[in-house]
Amino acid sequence: MHMVFPIESHEADAPFTRAEMEATTGYHYSWQRGIEPVDITVSAGRDPAVISVALALIILILCTFNHIGKMTGEMVRNLIDVRERENVFDEASATDTRTHIFLLLQLFVSESLLLYSYFSVPGQYSDYPELNITLGLLLAVTAAYYVFQLAAYSLIGFVFAGIEATGLWLKGFNASLGLLSMALLIPSMASVFYPEYTLAMVTIAAICFIISKICFIIKGIRIFYHNFFSWLYFILYLCAVEIIPLILVYAEAGILCGLK
């Protein structure tokens, strides 16, 4: 009867020839037991769909990097300037429009990933389809928030300032979102692939969001402020367009992901 002796060794010590295999008969080596399987929790960082989207964003960034670099200065001017330029060369091109659309899509993805990272807990989802449905709903919420704000700004501007001032205001709005989109890309990806830094990344994203809103609101004050009653209208605007919808988006994201 052979005695079985457990001997600890490494995979590199495994036999590669018949003679080595015969020499190790009767012993149980650690490399023979293999590696014990462990359960891997479902998370966005391991989701093939999220990884595919992240790769697509990186490819789009590389394809439009030079153009985005040129557009950054233009977006900064649109966010700050309250005068309409008459230079015919300042008109937006088809490439500008495509880049703005790409930045908006990137913003929706980044915001949905940040909301997911903030509200979700490890092991909350049992499979990836369930996770993808949640992320899709969050993406729809962020897109709906943009559509609501765009419609509200257009209506407010047309009623209180006219078509030209509304155009300037909407340019500032889209410029603020374009700059915010670039600022949120890295924090959103880091929050997904490095969950231990989620709180820090969400904090950075919140700071960037607040800064972009402050710059946009300052431009709105410069366009719409005329007298004392303008302040009353402005306070009503803040409550109706900036504060309440944001609270609703926060609450809806918490419901979709499951409140902490």
Side-chain angles (χ1 to χ4, degrees):
M1 179 177 179
H2 289 286
M3 298 294 295
V4 176
F5 301 98
I7 299 177
E8 293 297 326
S9 62
H10 302 283
E11 184 178 357
D13 300 325
F16 290 96
T17 64
R18 180 178 295 276
E20 290 179 352
M21 293 179 64
E22 293 176 352
T24 58
T25 302
Y27 298 91
H28 280 187
Y29 291 86
S30 59
W31 49 261
Q32 292 176 320
R33 296 196 301 268
I35 300 175
E36 293 294 331
V38 295
D39 293 331
I40 299 178
T41 58
V42 175
S43 66
R46 300 186 181 97
D47 188 355
V50 174
I51 295 174
S52 299
V53 172
L55 291 175
L57 289 176
I58 292 174
I59 292 172
L60 287 173
I61 289 172
L62 293 176
C63 292
T64 60
F65 183 78
N66 292 333
H67 190 65
I68 289 179
K70 296 176 182 178
M71 286 184 60
T72 302
E74 182 67 20
M75 287 189 290
V76 171
R77 287 191 294 271
N78 286 335
L79 184 58
I80 297 175
D81 198 0
V82 294
R83 293 176 299 177
E84 184 71 41
R85 292 190 298 273
E86 297 181 356
N87 192 339
V88 294
F89 296 103
D90 291 329
E91 294 297 326
S93 63
T95 305
D96 294 335
T97 302
R98 287 195 298 268
T99 304
H100 276 298
I101 293 174
F102 155 63
L103 289 174
L104 284 176
L105 293 175
Q106 178 180 296
L107 178 64
F108 300 153
V109 171
S110 297
E111 288 177 339
S112 59
L113 290 177
L114 286 165
L115 289 171
Y116 157 81
S117 300
Y118 180 74
F119 284 109
S120 299
V121 295
Q124 179 178 349
Y125 299 97
S126 58
D127 52 37
Y128 286 108
E130 181 183 2
L131 172 60
N132 292 331
I133 291 174
T134 300
L135 290 174
L137 292 174
L138 289 174
L139 186 66
V141 169
T142 56
Y145 176 58
Y146 165 76
V147 172
F148 167 78
Q149 285 195 309
L150 185 64
Y153 295 147
S154 300
L155 178 61
I156 293 173
F158 179 76
V159 172
F160 293 102
I163 297 177
E164 292 185 1
T166 301
L168 286 173
W169 202 29
L170 292 180
K171 280 185 178 180
F173 173 58
N174 287 316
S176 68
L177 294 185
L179 296 171
L180 181 63
S181 176
M182 292 187 285
L184 295 189
L185 179 61
I186 294 179
S188 63
M189 294 301 169
S191 68
V192 169
F193 295 107
Y194 300 94
E196 62 273 19
Y197 300 117
T198 293
L199 184 58
M201 295 299 103
V202 171
T203 301
I204 293 173
I207 293 173
C208 293
F209 178 82
I210 292 172
I211 292 174
S212 69
K213 278 297 179 184
I214 289 175
C215 294
F216 173 66
I217 290 173
I218 289 175
K219 179 169 184 175
I221 293 174
R222 296 173 63 191
I223 292 175
F224 291 98
Y225 177 73
H226 301 293
N227 50 49
F228 173 78
F229 291 101
S230 298
W231 285 108
L232 178 60
Y233 296 143
F234 185 72
I235 292 173
L236 293 175
Y237 142 75
L238 284 178
C239 294
V241 181
E242 298 295 352
I243 298 177
I244 295 178
L246 190 60
I247 294 174
L248 292 177
V249 169
Y250 180 87
E252 184 65 23
I255 293 172
L256 292 174
C257 296
L259 291 174
K260 289 186 174 183

